[in-house]
Amino acid sequence: MPEQITLSVIKADVGGHVGHTVVHPDLLECAYEELADSDLLEDFYVTYVGDDLELIMTHRRGTDDEAIHQLAWNAFAAATEVAKELKLYGAGQDLLTDAFSGNIKGLGPGVAEMQIVERPSEPVIVLMADKTEPGAWNLPLYKIFADPFNTAGLVVDPSMHDGFIFEVYDLIEGKKIDFSMPEDLYDMLVFIGAPARFVINSICRKGPDGGKGDIAVAASTQRLSLAAGRYVGKDDPVCIVRCQSGFPAVGEVLEGFAHPHLVGGWMRGSHNGPLMPVSNEDSRPTRFDGPPRVIALGFQLAHGQLVGPQDMFDDIAFDEARREANQVANYLRTMGPFEPHRLPLDEMEYTPLPQVVEKLSDRFVPIDEDA
Ligand code: F6R
Ligand code: MG
Ligand code: MG
C-alpha cells in the first residue's frame, strides 16, 4: 500500500497583539500544547502570519476529518481563552459559533488540506497571508502553474509540459469549474481575474488521460463575511504547494511573488494594497494595518514528519519585491478614500453605506433633466 499522508493547514484569528498586528506568544504556546496532547497527528508546526494563528498538521485520517477539525477547533478555542485573559484585541473573532459541529469549514477558520502519496522526496511550501482574502493566490498560482515566463519547467520539463488543471470556485453562486491549462487559459482568466468572487481551490497535474492527476495545490477558499453574512474579520488565506519532480521547482513557486500584486483586504478589509513577501518575523502588519503580507514556510515531508521549516522569503533576493511593495503602498496611500485604493462599495468589508444612505435619503432627489 503506498504511504498516504494528509497535510492539513487550518488557521484562525483568535486575538491580536497589539490591535490586529501579531499573535501573542502565549497563544502560540497554548495551541502547541493542545496539538502536542493529541495522538491523532503524525507531526505539527504552530506558527503565525500577522494576527493569524496557523496550525500545520500531518496525519493519516484524510481530508475533512471530523476529529482533526475538532482538534483544530479546540486549539483555537483554548487560545481564545488565553486571548480573553490577556484582553487581546478581537479575542475569538474568527470563531463564528460557540460549538464545533462536524466540519470546521463554514465555522470561521480557513482550511487547506490535501491527501497525498508521499514521494521519495516531498518538498512542500505552505503559503500564509494576512490582511487579504483567498483570491490573493489567483495571480501567483496562475503565474506558477500556467505562465512559462514565470515557470521554466512548463517549457523545458517534459513531466510538466502537458500542463495543469485548475479547480475554480464561484463563491457567490456556490459553483465550481475545472479549467485545463494551457487550452482553457484565456477562458480561465476571464474568471480568476475577478478574485473577490472566483478563487482557485486546487490544482492538479494533468493525468495521462488528460483528466486530473496528482494534486499540486490546495488553497483555503472560505470567506468569513459570506459565512457570517456580515463583517467579522478578514478571511486571511493559506495555500499548500507541492514542489519539484513534475511540479514547479521551489524557486518557480517563490518567483510567483517576485512582484507584489495588488490584493483586497488592507485596512478595515476595505482597501487594495500590495502583497509583500516577508519572513515570518516580519509578518507584522503595522503601516495602515499592512501592507498585506505573505510568508512561505518550506518543509520536506519524511514519513509524515515535517522536516523544517525553512523561512523562504527571509532572503535578500526578495528585498526588491519588498521595496517595490513599499513604493506601491506609498503611492496608493496618497489616494486615501478613493478607488482603486479603496475597494468598490460592494467589496468593502466595513460598509458605512446603509447608514449614510438612510441618513441622506431625504436629500437625494431625482435629477431633473429639464432644470
Ligand atoms: C483586521 C484588519 C484591520 C481592522 C482595523 C479595524 O484584519 O484588517 O485593518 O479592520 O484595525 O479594526 P476594528 O474594527 O476591529 O477596530
Ligand atoms: Mg484580527
Ligand atoms: Mg489576519
Side-chain angles (χ1 to χ4, degrees):
M1 231 345 231
E3 203 180 0
Q4 294 269 1
I5 190 84
T6 308
L7 195 49
S8 296
V9 181
I10 307 186
K11 53 84 31 186
D13 174 351
V14 293
H17 175 234
V18 173
H20 288 284
T21 45
V22 298
V23 176
H24 191 282
D26 289 2
L27 272 60
L28 296 173
E29 199 182 310
C30 170
Y32 179 93
E33 280 165 11
E34 286 289 321
L35 299 192
D37 279 350
S38 167
D39 54 9
L40 299 173
L41 302 178
E42 291 288 324
D43 199 4
F44 67 91
Y45 187 75
V46 174
T47 189
Y48 69 97
V49 57
D51 60 3
D52 292 288
L53 177 55
E54 310 272 351
L55 313 178
I56 301 170
M57 302 173 283
T58 57
H59 55 92
R60 307 220 178 253
R61 304 177 62 91
T63 58
D64 287 315
D65 181 73
E66 182 169 344
I68 296 295
H69 286 205
Q70 172 87 64
L71 175 63
W73 181 268
N74 292 349
F76 294 137
T80 296
E81 291 311 310
V82 177
K84 284 181 181 162
E85 276 164 36
L86 297 174
K87 293 182 65 178
L88 298 181
Y89 196 70
Q93 73 164 49
D94 283 2
L95 306 185
L96 300 182
T97 66
D98 292 335
F100 176 76
S101 56
N103 190 310
I104 205 165
K105 288 179 187 165
L107 302 184
V111 183
E113 294 184 293
M114 58 165 71
Q115 188 177 30
I116 59 173
V117 175
E118 201 178 280
R119 295 171 292 166
S121 181
E122 186 64 65
V124 295
I125 293 178
V126 181
L127 299 164
M128 295 162 270
D130 187 34
K131 307 295 181 261
T132 183
E133 57 192 11
W137 305 132
N138 282 10
L139 190 150
L141 287 177
Y142 158 72
K143 283 164 91 173
I144 297 162
F145 285 89
D147 178 4
F149 280 74
N150 182 92
T151 297
L154 294 169
V155 180
V156 304
D157 181 349
S159 65
M160 288 174 66
H161 196 78
D162 286 343
F164 291 86
I165 296 179
F166 288 56
E167 186 181 78
V168 173
Y169 279 15
D170 176 345
L171 296 182
I172 303 295
E173 293 278 324
K175 293 179 182 166
K176 62 180 183 179
I177 179 170
D178 288 341
F179 291 108
S180 188
M181 294 299 109
E183 316 85 271
D184 294 336
L185 193 152
Y186 297 162
D187 290 345
M188 183 174 80
L189 286 173
V190 171
F191 298 97
I192 66 167
R197 173 167 174 182
F198 297 96
V199 301
I200 297 166
N201 179 59
S202 62
I203 301 176
C204 291
R205 208 204 307 258
K206 214 179 273 175
D209 58 352
K212 283 182 175 176
D214 297 332
I215 188 161
V217 169
S220 64
T221 54
Q222 289 73 35
R223 287 210 56 182
L224 261 179
S225 53
L226 296 179
R230 66 192 152 85
Y231 181 81
V232 279
K234 280 314 294 176
D235 8 79
D236 302 313
V238 292
C239 181
I240 306 166
V241 186
R242 297 171 83 189
C243 311
Q244 309 287 154
S245 306
F247 296 123
V250 165
E252 289 169 334
V253 174
L254 301 174
E255 180 70 3
F257 295 87
H259 290 284
H261 62 298
L262 294 185
V263 296
W266 194 1
M267 183 49 90
R268 297 179 183 275
S270 304
H271 294 79
N272 281 310
L275 187 63
M276 183 190 267
V278 292
S279 66
N280 201 170
E281 201 185 330
D282 283 338
S283 68
R284 195 187 315 107
T286 52
R287 183 178 178 193
F288 200 54
D289 286 357
R293 313 280 162 126
V294 56
I295 65 168
L297 297 190
F299 298 91
Q300 289 285 152
L301 290 189
H303 310 290
Q305 299 300 300
L306 290 159
V307 181
Q310 276 290 336
D311 190 350
M312 307 309 267
F313 290 139
D314 186 11
D315 180 7
I316 53 171
F318 284 90
D319 283 353
E320 288 305 309
R322 292 187 270 269
R323 195 191 320 272
E324 201 174 304
N326 275 323
Q327 285 166 348
V328 170
N330 270 344
Y331 171 73
L332 281 174
R333 286 297 302 124
T334 64
M335 300 184 65
F338 284 78
E339 298 177 16
H341 179 29
R342 199 183 76 181
L343 289 176
L345 289 173
D346 59 343
E347 285 175 30
M348 285 170 58
E349 303 283 7
Y350 277 66
T351 172
L353 197 68
Q355 294 95 304
V356 177
V357 168
E358 174 63 27
K359 189 180 77 179
L360 300 182
S361 56
D362 296 345
R363 287 167 54 189
F364 266 108
V365 294
I367 299 168
D368 185 351
E369 303 281 346
D370 302 327

